[in-house]
Amino acid sequence: MSGTIKVTFEPEGKAAFVLPGSLVLEAAARAGIIVDTPCGGRGTCGKCRVIVRDGCSPVTATERRLLKPKELASGLRLACQAKLVRETAITVPDASRFFEQRILTKGVKRALKLCPAVAKRTVRVEEPTLTASRSDADRVLDALGDGALRLDLGAARQLPAALRAADHQVTAVLHGNDVLALEPGDTAGQCFGVAFDIGTTTVVGALLDLATGHEAAIAARTNPQVSFGDDVVARITYASEDSGLAELQAKIVECVNDIVAELAARAGVPRDGIYEMTTVGNTTMNHLLLGLDPRHVAQMPFPAVTRAAMEAPAADLGVAIHPRGRLYAMPNIAGFVGGDTVGVVLAADLAARRKPTLAVDIGTNGEMVLGTARRLVACSTAAGPAFEGARIRFGMRATDGAIEQVRLRDDVETSVIGDAPPRGLCGSALVDALAELLRVGILEPSGRMLGPNELPRKLPKALRRRVVPGERGNDFVLAHEAETGLDSPILLTQADVRQVQLAKGAIRAGIEVLKGELGVDDAGIDAILLAGGFGNFIRRRNALRIGLLPPVEHARIHFIGNAALVGAKMVLACTDYRAQAEALSHRVEYLELGGLPQFQAHFAEAMLFPESD
Amino acid sequence: MSGTIKVTFEPEGKAAFVLPGSLVLEAAARAGIIVDTPCGGRGTCGKCRVIVRDGCSPVTATERRLLKPKELASGLRLACQAKLVRETAITVPDASRFFEQRILTKGVKRALKLCPAVAKRTVRVEEPTLTASRSDADRVLDALGDGALRLDLGAARQLPAALRAADHQVTAVLHGNDVLALEPGDTAGQCFGVAFDIGTTTVVGALLDLATGHEAAIAARTNPQVSFGDDVVARITYASEDSGLAELQAKIVECVNDIVAELAARAGVPRDGIYEMTTVGNTTMNHLLLGLDPRHVAQMPFPAVTRAAMEAPAADLGVAIHPRGRLYAMPNIAGFVGGDTVGVVLAADLAARRKPTLAVDIGTNGEMVLGTARRLVACSTAAGPAFEGARIRFGMRATDGAIEQVRLRDDVETSVIGDAPPRGLCGSALVDALAELLRVGILEPSGRMLGPNELPRKLPKALRRRVVPGERGNDFVLAHEAETGLDSPILLTQADVRQVQLAKGAIRAGIEVLKGELGVDDAGIDAILLAGGFGNFIRRRNALRIGLLPPVEHARIHFIGNAALVGAKMVLACTDYRAQAEALSHRVEYLELGGLPQFQAHFAEAMLFPESD
């Protein structure tokens, strides 16, 4: 440890040893404390506040810009700016922590076909005799009675002991035509697999009993890679440096293993009873899990390393299921439309729809697919982060203390997640607030917030008082300082409105491009399916009001939950779905919006809010 | 190192640290010095002599039996008996060392078909565009133009860098339908493989240029497992203990890697330019290399773990060729007839012969195959070790100082390997000596050596003087003490003759059983093919004279060299041969001699020598 500095993080007292000059952010990550950095540590959001008594580098110009003199005087610093100089203790307030948010673990219910890649067969094997002293392998394969089965080296190594431990009764774990493992006696009743949805922000795993199709347990974690930036581009940038890829891969594998351990413990299943893992994720998450260099995904024209489904021994990645267990990673469609979208298309059975159906998955990215059995077209926008709190002054993820619903009556009515005073607002509240401000006339369709003197006359007094002049235009006070868990009011600023306009404009413009590509108008859209974390908590009417979605009847909008995870469960439950997924990854056409002039045109228009209800 | 004892081995001064109570034999192996133990360390041959000043356990009863009092007094001990008590230095005389023997690296010449499992294809890959931003993998597979090709995770990891390092020109290393690796630019000219014959005693490797079929280099080593016993049963016994299997596997892999390094250096080929290794060996050597538990091969009814060919990543075994290189291990036939015999059958093209042909491969074991295109039958005997020096008083392997040829004229005429006084006799000299003693009438067909008073009257005086009374019957002095490199004469004892009778009797009885099984008489044998180290140095007439082989015309006996290695080269050069080998491993019938009454009958008769020339 010579040359390193000890840093203790309070209040838990966790310590890390780091080199002088390390960022507080990095040191915290080493101590296992994830500081929330919605801007990816770029020094633009000012959210990664920590309390430093001493031992750090001088305050930077960025900090002077983002923190008030009073805050600086009280020891507040930004974890992405302050560097460690000597041994010290640093306090990380709750508000700066990346808490587990409301995570969507359930998805559209589908009756899954059951024909898993992994199956078990118990047989009694003939004993060798002097006149028929055939090899152990030959006798086992004979007993299994399938000429196509192969026994590889790993299985052969287990064979003699497994065969003789239970009197020549043995259970073969089969994966396709491969004998994956041999277990003494009859273990056919225990055959599990795990399906994972690896999101940019959230990782969800489900344990399936492959003998019955029953879901035995489900668990989720925040993707620990968030400490390296909250969007895919930040991750790719980090992965492109030195050992960045290996580091990010190690992080996600650790997270997967934590979830597997939790699933196994909760279901009372040994990890060795889990033989396969399937995974969906966007192309970047897929590449980071598999250790594929994603740098070209971030560079024009954004090619992925591979589109195809990948199969590999789970142990090759360090995934701690059965030592000879397998991994199946859902195929991708393009650099910015990944296996999660294939999962959504599979779960929603889009490829079987006779009438045009639109699936929208808004997570950290927004992916859209529109089409019918005849043709499916997909596109992607990086618009998600605003709805997850990034670049929104008081934005935060949907965790304790987040305002998650907003209504304007005589005054503001809000509901807050958890038993806590509000600290900010999450995506669904953002959509609510904008829709309500539009309705009551505080917000113009152009996105301009009216000033105190321009407000509609009939506006209730309490609401009227909430409109205050801000740095850039006017702001709206969602919660007065006295109501909050902060030492300031919670504002929705003019700049915040512009951020939402950019985000929803990009998603809507993407949808419009898809419609144009397929020659479908709004009336022609049979159904809009909302998938993913954000999509499933927003209020449909408000999403329509702000123009995030095309104007279709309210009843045609459906929530389909974590459909990507359902897709991962489908390919785990039945190999027929793998063939479908593989076909979809070829069939779904990808439109790169950046290259299309019509996208720019739609975008300019979609940034505006609709004129009226 | 606390609790361990330092032992220095002289004259090289190599040290090892061992626990008190360790055998000198084990300590020497740790220091990298292989003491010759023809009996496998069982304390029966008395050959593992070392000079110990002090620091060892007291002399054992075994040592008193096998060493003369004068020898004991001079500090001679047996390395398999003496245990280390405290720090000491031990001298290992040359005569006790396992030197590299004459190793047969050449085999029957065959024009090999060239259709290797590993092939290279250089392509120029289309660059991605915004409108066709397909994945790197899709574009490479398109350029390769073969829809069946698969790109696995390991290859995908190399892909983005390989593609961009040489301006989108890339060389794919193909193994069947798998893309094994991707190399920047055009590397098609460099594509090598190694073929190994892993014998109980000797390991030979050949480097093949897979683009031309040319043999680029050949190298051999003693199998370092010999320090754990010189026959397969001793190895199996060791492998059945604690970490024995892992230890033996590590030894052979180390040896293979040494040979690969030598081959690569001599041919000027980087190890990363070697993509596949094929290997033949008896079933036990095959199992030890692959890490398969061989214990049941040594127990009735002797089942192997697997008969099938095994393919695996070379890296799984620690074999240091290309990191993604492959291993192909020849299929076996039965527990005691392995891939080396399949190699012999393949190289000699036995399965295509219209007339009955007998192949005999005498190494440490003796394997025999007889038959035609219609039917092939094989058997095995553990008779080899006598011909390699084990259980023969002055027996030694065919290395420097070994008498390798004996003729009786007016006196004994010998030739000795290397520029050294004789220290013993190897297998070919043993056969010569017996044939000559039979011819001149010193040895009776029963195997009894006549006494000085019973000798034929016309026997030259010098020969007559060489017959001396021994411990058990009479002995024959092959070299007088003054001529030798020892402090004793080199004798052929009555007991030695009995050992050869057992060995050659077993081989001959095996041949007779095969003849009986196929209904072939001596006249019906079209050809006898002698393969393997011993077989290729014996004199055909003498082998016939002692009755090792059935009485066929001298001209019908052919030497086919290291045919097992040729088989390994064939399956490396062309996958068609793999299909043939797989078919042979099923087709060649195995006769377990131990279970056959007719073997006992033939054996009793075959122990005797033929009555006359």
Short mmCIF file of all heavy atoms in Angstrom, two decimals, chain A residues 128-130 133 135-138 151 156-157 160 164 290-292 296 301-302 304-307 310 317 592, chain B residues 128-130 133 135-138 151 156-157 160 164 290-292 296 301-307 310 317 592:
data_model
loop_
_atom_site.label_atom_id
_atom_site.label_comp_id
_atom_site.label_asym_id
_atom_site.label_seq_id
_atom_site.Cartn_x
_atom_site.Cartn_y
_atom_site.Cartn_z
N PRO A 128 -19.70 -53.30 -17.69
CA PRO A 128 -18.85 -53.94 -18.69
C PRO A 128 -18.57 -55.40 -18.32
O PRO A 128 -18.56 -55.76 -17.15
CB PRO A 128 -17.56 -53.13 -18.63
CG PRO A 128 -17.51 -52.61 -17.22
CD PRO A 128 -18.94 -52.41 -16.81
N THR A 129 -18.37 -56.22 -19.33
CA THR A 129 -17.98 -57.61 -19.09
C THR A 129 -16.72 -57.88 -19.91
O THR A 129 -16.37 -57.08 -20.80
CB THR A 129 -19.07 -58.58 -19.56
OG1 THR A 129 -19.21 -58.41 -20.99
CG2 THR A 129 -20.41 -58.29 -18.90
N LEU A 130 -16.08 -58.99 -19.62
CA LEU A 130 -14.83 -59.29 -20.34
C LEU A 130 -15.08 -59.42 -21.83
O LEU A 130 -14.25 -59.05 -22.65
CB LEU A 130 -14.20 -60.58 -19.81
CG LEU A 130 -13.01 -60.38 -18.88
CD1 LEU A 130 -12.37 -61.73 -18.58
CD2 LEU A 130 -11.97 -59.45 -19.48
N SER A 133 -16.24 -55.40 -23.11
CA SER A 133 -15.61 -54.41 -22.25
C SER A 133 -15.55 -53.08 -22.97
O SER A 133 -14.50 -52.53 -23.20
CB SER A 133 -14.22 -54.90 -21.87
OG SER A 133 -13.51 -53.87 -21.26
N SER A 135 -16.06 -49.06 -23.66
CA SER A 135 -15.68 -47.92 -22.82
C SER A 135 -16.90 -47.40 -22.08
O SER A 135 -18.04 -47.60 -22.48
CB SER A 135 -15.07 -46.81 -23.68
OG SER A 135 -16.08 -46.17 -24.43
N ASP A 136 -16.63 -46.70 -20.97
CA ASP A 136 -17.70 -46.08 -20.19
C ASP A 136 -18.56 -45.19 -21.09
O ASP A 136 -19.78 -45.21 -21.01
CB ASP A 136 -17.10 -45.22 -19.07
CG ASP A 136 -16.43 -46.06 -17.98
OD1 ASP A 136 -16.55 -47.31 -18.03
OD2 ASP A 136 -15.81 -45.47 -17.07
N ALA A 137 -17.89 -44.42 -21.92
CA ALA A 137 -18.62 -43.47 -22.77
C ALA A 137 -19.54 -44.20 -23.73
O ALA A 137 -20.69 -43.81 -23.93
CB ALA A 137 -17.64 -42.58 -23.53
N ASP A 138 -19.03 -45.25 -24.34
CA ASP A 138 -19.86 -46.00 -25.30
C ASP A 138 -21.09 -46.57 -24.61
O ASP A 138 -22.19 -46.55 -25.16
CB ASP A 138 -19.04 -47.13 -25.95
CG ASP A 138 -18.11 -46.61 -27.03
OD1 ASP A 138 -18.45 -45.60 -27.67
OD2 ASP A 138 -17.05 -47.22 -27.25
N LEU A 151 -20.00 -36.67 -26.28
CA LEU A 151 -19.52 -36.53 -24.92
C LEU A 151 -18.17 -35.85 -24.99
O LEU A 151 -17.21 -36.42 -25.51
CB LEU A 151 -19.41 -37.93 -24.32
CG LEU A 151 -19.39 -38.03 -22.82
CD1 LEU A 151 -20.33 -39.13 -22.37
CD2 LEU A 151 -18.01 -38.35 -22.37
N ALA A 156 -16.34 -36.37 -20.08
CA ALA A 156 -15.61 -37.64 -19.98
C ALA A 156 -14.83 -37.71 -18.68
O ALA A 156 -14.69 -38.77 -18.08
CB ALA A 156 -14.68 -37.81 -21.18
N ARG A 157 -14.33 -36.53 -18.23
CA ARG A 157 -13.55 -36.54 -16.99
C ARG A 157 -14.41 -36.91 -15.79
O ARG A 157 -13.93 -37.49 -14.83
CB ARG A 157 -12.90 -35.16 -16.78
CG ARG A 157 -11.72 -34.95 -17.71
CD ARG A 157 -11.11 -33.57 -17.53
NE ARG A 157 -9.98 -33.41 -18.43
CZ ARG A 157 -9.54 -32.23 -18.87
NH1 ARG A 157 -10.15 -31.13 -18.50
NH2 ARG A 157 -8.52 -32.17 -19.69
N PRO A 160 -16.13 -41.73 -15.21
CA PRO A 160 -15.94 -42.98 -14.45
C PRO A 160 -16.44 -42.88 -13.02
O PRO A 160 -17.07 -43.82 -12.52
CB PRO A 160 -14.42 -43.20 -14.51
CG PRO A 160 -13.81 -42.03 -15.18
CD PRO A 160 -14.89 -41.19 -15.78
N ARG A 164 -19.92 -44.89 -11.29
CA ARG A 164 -19.77 -45.90 -10.24
C ARG A 164 -20.25 -45.42 -8.87
O ARG A 164 -20.31 -46.19 -7.93
CB ARG A 164 -18.30 -46.35 -10.19
CG ARG A 164 -17.96 -47.21 -11.42
CD ARG A 164 -16.48 -47.31 -11.72
NE ARG A 164 -16.23 -48.09 -12.93
CZ ARG A 164 -16.15 -47.58 -14.16
NH1 ARG A 164 -16.33 -46.28 -14.34
NH2 ARG A 164 -15.93 -48.37 -15.20
N LEU A 290 -19.79 -9.69 -22.86
CA LEU A 290 -19.05 -10.74 -23.58
C LEU A 290 -17.58 -10.40 -23.76
O LEU A 290 -16.80 -11.22 -24.24
CB LEU A 290 -19.69 -10.97 -24.96
CG LEU A 290 -21.15 -11.47 -24.95
CD1 LEU A 290 -21.70 -11.53 -26.36
CD2 LEU A 290 -21.24 -12.84 -24.29
N GLY A 291 -17.18 -9.19 -23.36
CA GLY A 291 -15.79 -8.80 -23.54
C GLY A 291 -15.46 -8.45 -24.98
O GLY A 291 -14.32 -8.59 -25.42
N LEU A 292 -16.45 -7.99 -25.72
CA LEU A 292 -16.23 -7.56 -27.10
C LEU A 292 -16.00 -6.05 -27.11
O LEU A 292 -16.77 -5.30 -26.50
CB LEU A 292 -17.45 -7.90 -27.96
CG LEU A 292 -17.81 -9.38 -28.06
CD1 LEU A 292 -19.14 -9.56 -28.78
CD2 LEU A 292 -16.71 -10.15 -28.78
N HIS A 296 -16.25 0.75 -31.71
CA HIS A 296 -16.75 1.17 -33.03
C HIS A 296 -18.26 1.40 -33.03
O HIS A 296 -18.77 2.03 -33.94
CB HIS A 296 -16.31 0.15 -34.08
CG HIS A 296 -14.82 0.00 -34.12
ND1 HIS A 296 -13.99 0.98 -34.60
CD2 HIS A 296 -14.01 -0.98 -33.65
CE1 HIS A 296 -12.73 0.60 -34.43
NE2 HIS A 296 -12.72 -0.59 -33.86
N PRO A 301 -19.81 4.46 -38.95
CA PRO A 301 -21.26 4.28 -38.96
C PRO A 301 -21.77 3.26 -37.92
O PRO A 301 -22.72 2.55 -38.19
CB PRO A 301 -21.52 3.80 -40.37
CG PRO A 301 -20.28 3.01 -40.71
CD PRO A 301 -19.15 3.58 -39.92
N PHE A 302 -21.13 3.22 -36.78
CA PHE A 302 -21.62 2.48 -35.60
C PHE A 302 -21.78 0.96 -35.77
O PHE A 302 -22.78 0.38 -35.33
CB PHE A 302 -22.97 3.06 -35.15
CG PHE A 302 -23.05 4.55 -35.23
CD1 PHE A 302 -23.93 5.17 -36.12
CD2 PHE A 302 -22.24 5.34 -34.43
CE1 PHE A 302 -23.99 6.55 -36.20
CE2 PHE A 302 -22.30 6.73 -34.51
CZ PHE A 302 -23.18 7.33 -35.39
N ALA A 304 -21.57 -2.88 -34.90
CA ALA A 304 -21.33 -3.78 -33.78
C ALA A 304 -20.22 -4.75 -34.16
O ALA A 304 -19.90 -4.91 -35.34
CB ALA A 304 -22.61 -4.55 -33.46
N VAL A 305 -19.61 -5.38 -33.16
CA VAL A 305 -18.65 -6.45 -33.49
C VAL A 305 -19.41 -7.63 -34.08
O VAL A 305 -19.02 -8.19 -35.09
CB VAL A 305 -17.85 -6.89 -32.24
CG1 VAL A 305 -16.97 -8.09 -32.57
CG2 VAL A 305 -17.01 -5.74 -31.72
N THR A 306 -20.51 -7.98 -33.43
CA THR A 306 -21.29 -9.08 -33.97
C THR A 306 -22.77 -8.85 -33.71
O THR A 306 -23.15 -8.24 -32.73
CB THR A 306 -20.85 -10.44 -33.38
OG1 THR A 306 -21.60 -11.47 -34.03
CG2 THR A 306 -21.13 -10.52 -31.88
N ARG A 307 -23.55 -9.31 -34.64
CA ARG A 307 -24.99 -9.24 -34.52
C ARG A 307 -25.52 -10.57 -33.99
O ARG A 307 -26.54 -10.63 -33.32
CB ARG A 307 -25.59 -8.95 -35.91
CG ARG A 307 -27.12 -8.93 -35.99
CD ARG A 307 -27.59 -9.16 -37.41
NE ARG A 307 -26.86 -10.27 -38.02
CZ ARG A 307 -27.03 -11.53 -37.70
NH1 ARG A 307 -27.93 -11.88 -36.83
NH2 ARG A 307 -26.28 -12.47 -38.27
N MET A 310 -24.64 -15.29 -29.34
CA MET A 310 -23.37 -15.88 -28.95
C MET A 310 -23.63 -16.96 -27.92
O MET A 310 -24.37 -16.76 -26.96
CB MET A 310 -22.46 -14.81 -28.33
CG MET A 310 -21.72 -13.99 -29.36
SD MET A 310 -20.31 -14.93 -30.02
CE MET A 310 -20.12 -14.12 -31.60
N LEU A 317 -16.75 -16.60 -19.03
CA LEU A 317 -17.00 -15.22 -18.61
C LEU A 317 -16.87 -15.07 -17.10
O LEU A 317 -16.98 -13.98 -16.58
CB LEU A 317 -18.41 -14.79 -19.02
CG LEU A 317 -18.76 -14.83 -20.50
CD1 LEU A 317 -20.15 -14.28 -20.71
CD2 LEU A 317 -17.76 -14.00 -21.30
N GLU A 592 -30.83 4.01 -39.30
CA GLU A 592 -29.93 4.89 -38.56
C GLU A 592 -30.46 6.31 -38.73
O GLU A 592 -30.37 6.90 -39.81
CB GLU A 592 -28.51 4.75 -39.11
CG GLU A 592 -27.50 5.74 -38.59
CD GLU A 592 -27.45 5.83 -37.06
OE1 GLU A 592 -27.44 4.77 -36.41
OE2 GLU A 592 -27.48 6.96 -36.54
N PRO B 128 -17.97 -0.73 -43.43
CA PRO B 128 -19.39 -0.42 -43.17
C PRO B 128 -19.74 0.99 -43.64
O PRO B 128 -18.88 1.87 -43.68
CB PRO B 128 -19.48 -0.50 -41.64
CG PRO B 128 -18.11 -0.17 -41.17
CD PRO B 128 -17.16 -0.67 -42.22
N THR B 129 -20.98 1.18 -44.01
CA THR B 129 -21.46 2.52 -44.37
C THR B 129 -22.70 2.79 -43.54
O THR B 129 -23.27 1.88 -42.95
CB THR B 129 -21.83 2.59 -45.86
OG1 THR B 129 -22.92 1.67 -46.09
CG2 THR B 129 -20.67 2.20 -46.75
N LEU B 130 -23.13 4.05 -43.55
CA LEU B 130 -24.31 4.40 -42.74
C LEU B 130 -25.54 3.63 -43.20
O LEU B 130 -26.39 3.27 -42.39
CB LEU B 130 -24.57 5.90 -42.82
CG LEU B 130 -24.12 6.71 -41.60
CD1 LEU B 130 -24.58 8.14 -41.73
CD2 LEU B 130 -24.64 6.10 -40.30
N SER B 133 -24.63 -0.57 -42.23
CA SER B 133 -23.73 -0.63 -41.09
C SER B 133 -23.85 -1.98 -40.41
O SER B 133 -24.23 -2.09 -39.26
CB SER B 133 -24.10 0.49 -40.12
OG SER B 133 -23.42 0.29 -38.91
N SER B 135 -22.69 -5.60 -38.83
CA SER B 135 -21.66 -5.88 -37.83
C SER B 135 -20.38 -6.37 -38.50
O SER B 135 -20.39 -6.88 -39.61
CB SER B 135 -22.17 -6.93 -36.84
OG SER B 135 -22.19 -8.21 -37.43
N ASP B 136 -19.29 -6.21 -37.77
CA ASP B 136 -18.00 -6.70 -38.26
C ASP B 136 -18.10 -8.17 -38.63
O ASP B 136 -17.60 -8.61 -39.67
CB ASP B 136 -16.93 -6.54 -37.16
CG ASP B 136 -16.56 -5.07 -36.92
OD1 ASP B 136 -17.05 -4.20 -37.67
OD2 ASP B 136 -15.78 -4.82 -35.98
N ALA B 137 -18.73 -8.94 -37.77
CA ALA B 137 -18.82 -10.39 -37.99
C ALA B 137 -19.61 -10.70 -39.26
O ALA B 137 -19.20 -11.54 -40.07
CB ALA B 137 -19.47 -11.07 -36.79
N ASP B 138 -20.72 -10.02 -39.45
CA ASP B 138 -21.52 -10.27 -40.65
C ASP B 138 -20.72 -9.96 -41.92
O ASP B 138 -20.79 -10.70 -42.90
CB ASP B 138 -22.80 -9.43 -40.63
CG ASP B 138 -23.86 -10.02 -39.69
OD1 ASP B 138 -23.88 -11.25 -39.54
OD2 ASP B 138 -24.65 -9.25 -39.11
N LEU B 151 -18.65 -17.90 -36.03
CA LEU B 151 -17.60 -17.12 -35.40
C LEU B 151 -17.88 -17.13 -33.90
O LEU B 151 -18.89 -16.60 -33.46
CB LEU B 151 -17.69 -15.71 -35.98
CG LEU B 151 -16.47 -14.84 -35.82
CD1 LEU B 151 -16.19 -14.16 -37.16
CD2 LEU B 151 -16.69 -13.81 -34.76
N ALA B 156 -14.58 -13.50 -32.05
CA ALA B 156 -15.25 -12.19 -32.09
C ALA B 156 -14.45 -11.16 -31.29
O ALA B 156 -14.40 -9.99 -31.66
CB ALA B 156 -16.67 -12.31 -31.53
N ARG B 157 -13.81 -11.61 -30.23
CA ARG B 157 -13.03 -10.67 -29.42
C ARG B 157 -11.85 -10.10 -30.20
O ARG B 157 -11.44 -8.98 -29.98
CB ARG B 157 -12.54 -11.35 -28.14
CG ARG B 157 -13.66 -11.53 -27.13
CD ARG B 157 -13.19 -12.25 -25.88
NE ARG B 157 -14.29 -12.39 -24.93
CZ ARG B 157 -14.37 -13.33 -24.01
NH1 ARG B 157 -13.40 -14.23 -23.89
NH2 ARG B 157 -15.41 -13.39 -23.20
N PRO B 160 -12.62 -6.82 -34.11
CA PRO B 160 -12.54 -5.40 -34.50
C PRO B 160 -11.10 -4.93 -34.70
O PRO B 160 -10.82 -4.21 -35.67
CB PRO B 160 -13.22 -4.66 -33.35
CG PRO B 160 -13.55 -5.65 -32.30
CD PRO B 160 -13.34 -7.01 -32.85
N ARG B 164 -9.19 -3.86 -38.50
CA ARG B 164 -8.75 -2.49 -38.76
C ARG B 164 -7.24 -2.34 -38.75
O ARG B 164 -6.72 -1.28 -39.08
CB ARG B 164 -9.42 -1.55 -37.75
CG ARG B 164 -10.91 -1.38 -38.06
CD ARG B 164 -11.74 -0.90 -36.90
NE ARG B 164 -13.17 -0.82 -37.23
CZ ARG B 164 -14.03 -1.81 -37.05
NH1 ARG B 164 -13.62 -2.97 -36.54
NH2 ARG B 164 -15.30 -1.67 -37.39
N LEU B 290 -5.22 -36.52 -21.47
CA LEU B 290 -6.50 -35.83 -21.46
C LEU B 290 -7.04 -35.59 -20.05
O LEU B 290 -8.06 -34.93 -19.88
CB LEU B 290 -7.53 -36.62 -22.28
CG LEU B 290 -7.20 -36.79 -23.77
CD1 LEU B 290 -8.24 -37.68 -24.44
CD2 LEU B 290 -7.14 -35.45 -24.48
N GLY B 291 -6.37 -36.16 -19.05
CA GLY B 291 -6.87 -35.99 -17.69
C GLY B 291 -8.06 -36.88 -17.38
O GLY B 291 -8.90 -36.55 -16.54
N LEU B 292 -8.15 -38.01 -18.08
CA LEU B 292 -9.23 -38.96 -17.84
C LEU B 292 -8.73 -40.02 -16.86
O LEU B 292 -7.65 -40.58 -17.04
CB LEU B 292 -9.66 -39.63 -19.15
CG LEU B 292 -10.20 -38.69 -20.23
CD1 LEU B 292 -10.41 -39.46 -21.55
CD2 LEU B 292 -11.51 -38.06 -19.78
N HIS B 296 -9.86 -47.66 -14.09
CA HIS B 296 -10.62 -48.86 -14.45
C HIS B 296 -10.00 -49.63 -15.62
O HIS B 296 -10.32 -50.78 -15.84
CB HIS B 296 -12.07 -48.47 -14.73
CG HIS B 296 -12.70 -47.78 -13.56
ND1 HIS B 296 -13.03 -48.46 -12.41
CD2 HIS B 296 -12.97 -46.47 -13.32
CE1 HIS B 296 -13.50 -47.59 -11.52
NE2 HIS B 296 -13.47 -46.38 -12.04
N PRO B 301 -13.21 -55.63 -16.06
CA PRO B 301 -12.78 -56.07 -17.39
C PRO B 301 -12.13 -54.95 -18.22
O PRO B 301 -12.27 -54.94 -19.42
CB PRO B 301 -14.09 -56.52 -18.03
CG PRO B 301 -15.12 -55.61 -17.41
CD PRO B 301 -14.61 -55.21 -16.06
N PHE B 302 -11.42 -54.06 -17.57
CA PHE B 302 -10.54 -53.09 -18.23
C PHE B 302 -11.23 -52.08 -19.16
O PHE B 302 -10.72 -51.81 -20.24
CB PHE B 302 -9.44 -53.81 -19.02
CG PHE B 302 -8.88 -55.02 -18.34
CD1 PHE B 302 -9.05 -56.30 -18.86
CD2 PHE B 302 -8.17 -54.89 -17.14
CE1 PHE B 302 -8.54 -57.42 -18.22
CE2 PHE B 302 -7.66 -56.01 -16.49
CZ PHE B 302 -7.84 -57.28 -17.03
N PRO B 303 -12.36 -51.51 -18.75
CA PRO B 303 -12.99 -50.55 -19.66
C PRO B 303 -12.24 -49.21 -19.67
O PRO B 303 -11.83 -48.70 -18.63
CB PRO B 303 -14.39 -50.35 -19.06
CG PRO B 303 -14.18 -50.59 -17.61
CD PRO B 303 -13.12 -51.67 -17.50
N ALA B 304 -12.07 -48.63 -20.86
CA ALA B 304 -11.56 -47.27 -20.99
C ALA B 304 -12.67 -46.31 -20.59
O ALA B 304 -13.84 -46.68 -20.56
CB ALA B 304 -11.14 -47.01 -22.43
N VAL B 305 -12.30 -45.06 -20.28
CA VAL B 305 -13.33 -44.05 -20.05
C VAL B 305 -14.03 -43.77 -21.37
O VAL B 305 -15.25 -43.71 -21.45
CB VAL B 305 -12.74 -42.75 -19.47
CG1 VAL B 305 -13.81 -41.67 -19.38
CG2 VAL B 305 -12.13 -43.02 -18.10
N THR B 306 -13.22 -43.60 -22.42
CA THR B 306 -13.82 -43.35 -23.72
C THR B 306 -13.00 -43.97 -24.82
O THR B 306 -11.78 -44.09 -24.70
CB THR B 306 -14.02 -41.84 -23.98
OG1 THR B 306 -14.69 -41.67 -25.23
CG2 THR B 306 -12.69 -41.11 -24.04
N ARG B 307 -13.68 -44.41 -25.83
CA ARG B 307 -13.04 -44.96 -27.00
C ARG B 307 -12.92 -43.90 -28.08
O ARG B 307 -12.02 -43.89 -28.89
CB ARG B 307 -13.88 -46.14 -27.50
CG ARG B 307 -13.40 -46.79 -28.80
CD ARG B 307 -14.52 -47.53 -29.50
NE ARG B 307 -15.73 -46.73 -29.53
CZ ARG B 307 -15.90 -45.66 -30.29
NH1 ARG B 307 -14.96 -45.28 -31.12
NH2 ARG B 307 -17.02 -44.96 -30.22
N MET B 310 -11.17 -37.55 -29.23
CA MET B 310 -11.52 -36.40 -28.41
C MET B 310 -10.98 -35.15 -29.07
O MET B 310 -9.83 -35.10 -29.48
CB MET B 310 -10.89 -36.53 -27.02
CG MET B 310 -11.71 -37.40 -26.09
SD MET B 310 -13.14 -36.47 -25.45
CE MET B 310 -14.23 -37.84 -25.05
N LEU B 317 -5.78 -28.11 -22.03
CA LEU B 317 -4.79 -29.03 -21.47
C LEU B 317 -3.50 -28.30 -21.10
O LEU B 317 -2.60 -28.90 -20.56
CB LEU B 317 -4.46 -30.13 -22.48
CG LEU B 317 -5.60 -31.00 -22.96
CD1 LEU B 317 -5.07 -32.07 -23.90
CD2 LEU B 317 -6.31 -31.66 -21.79
N GLU B 592 -9.67 -59.83 -25.68
CA GLU B 592 -9.02 -59.77 -24.38
C GLU B 592 -8.40 -61.14 -24.12
O GLU B 592 -9.10 -62.12 -23.85
CB GLU B 592 -10.05 -59.40 -23.31
CG GLU B 592 -9.57 -59.49 -21.87
CD GLU B 592 -8.28 -58.73 -21.62
OE1 GLU B 592 -8.18 -57.56 -22.05
OE2 GLU B 592 -7.36 -59.31 -21.01
#
